[in-house]
Amino acid sequence: MNNDYLNYIEESLKSLFAEIKDKYPEKLFKAMEYSVFSGGKRIRPYLMLLSADFLNIPHEKVINQAISLELIHSYSLIHDDLPSMDNDDFRRGKPTCHKVFGQAMAVLAGDALLNLAYENLLNTAIKDNSILKSCYYIALNAGGMGMVGGQALEFSDLKIDLPLYEKICSLKTGALINSAVVNPAFINSDKDELQALQIYGGCLGLIFQIVDDLLDLDDDEASFVKFCDREIVLKKLNSLNLKAKNVMTPFGEKGEKLINFCNLLTNRTK
Ligand code: GRG
């Protein structure tokens, strides 16, 4: 991954946190800060910068959408780790937010991060309303039609088979990845570019989840590797990778960064 891009994301998140530091109750701020700055890979904001490159949109025009997406991702992980959901004690090798700050503060830190994301999006859109549609797209993907909907399906006591699992993944995990990829297209793109980003984003969301399943074989959880044998899962992974590449290839050099990133996610080992 490009360090300049990662530094830009990090500095932007830090500067947003510096702005709010003295305005929030101390413990709430600390719980939010703990979760946002604990070693996340920043895949979603990074992807948004790559997609902006593809469309020739300056990074400054998407950075607030990019970091808002990361805040939404962070809140979702805090809530996902709670005892009432996945009940995890560790994330990224560190104690989870509720283990350090208690359950009530973890719920509130997640709530405040989600709100901060929308405060940041709206504040940016007030100054530049050409990004309004892209902000709306984030909301659609993060909510009941997207990530929250996917999580709700997982907790609906349904009998999970492969098609349902694929649907859950495309919402729970895929929606934010897709939002990162497609978002800049709502600022400036033609029909072919938008369509290509939508297909690429859909493939990438599933690739991300399949690789996650391959890396993290938890006996209690549904996973692609549990529904079909490994050979079939690897075949599916390769065909998604190929589809994502094929859709970017006609764009020549400007599609290369997205193709390379797809390869990176397909071959990641952590
Ligand atoms: C609580 C509304 C709500 C939703 C939770 C994202 C999610 C939905 C649950 C997480 C469960 C999980 C581990 C899914 C697998 C894919 C995934 C989102 C992994 C974590 O994303 P990374 O690898 O995380 O980008 P880092 O740590 O790099 O930020």
Side-chain angles (χ1 to χ4, degrees), residues 40-41 44 73 75-76 80 92 151 172-173 208 212:
K41 294 183 285 300
R44 294 152 194 80
H73 168 62
Y75 113 76
S76 80
D80 187 63
R92 300 163 178 155
Q151 185 80 344
K172 187 181 91 164
T173 312
F208 186 78
D212 210 71

Side-chain angles (χ1 to χ4, degrees), residues 35-36 38-44 70 72-82 85-86 88 91-92 142-143 147-152 154-155 165 169 171-174 176-177 205 208-209 212-213 216 221 265 268 270:
S35 300
V36 172
S38 60
K41 294 183 285 300
R42 311 298 194 211
I43 282 172
R44 294 152 194 80
E70 185 67 13
I72 293 173
H73 168 62
S74 298
Y75 113 76
S76 80
L77 297 181
I78 297 176
H79 283 189
D80 187 63
D81 290 335
L82 287 169
M85 294 212 192
D86 267 13
D88 281 315
R91 171 157 303 275
R92 300 163 178 155
M147 180 184 71
V148 174
Q151 185 80 344
E154 190 168 325
F155 283 89
Y165 181 65
C169 294
L171 294 173
K172 187 181 91 164
T173 312
L176 285 198
I177 304 250
F208 186 78
Q209 182 68 51
D212 210 71
D213 286 355
D216 174 33
E221 283 188 12
L265 280 197
R268 82 187 161 102
K270 58 180 179 148

Side-chain angles (χ1 to χ4, degrees), residues 7 45 60 145 153 184 199 232:
N7 288 338
E60 299 72 53
M145 270 192 259
L153 281 177
I199 296 172
I232 298 177

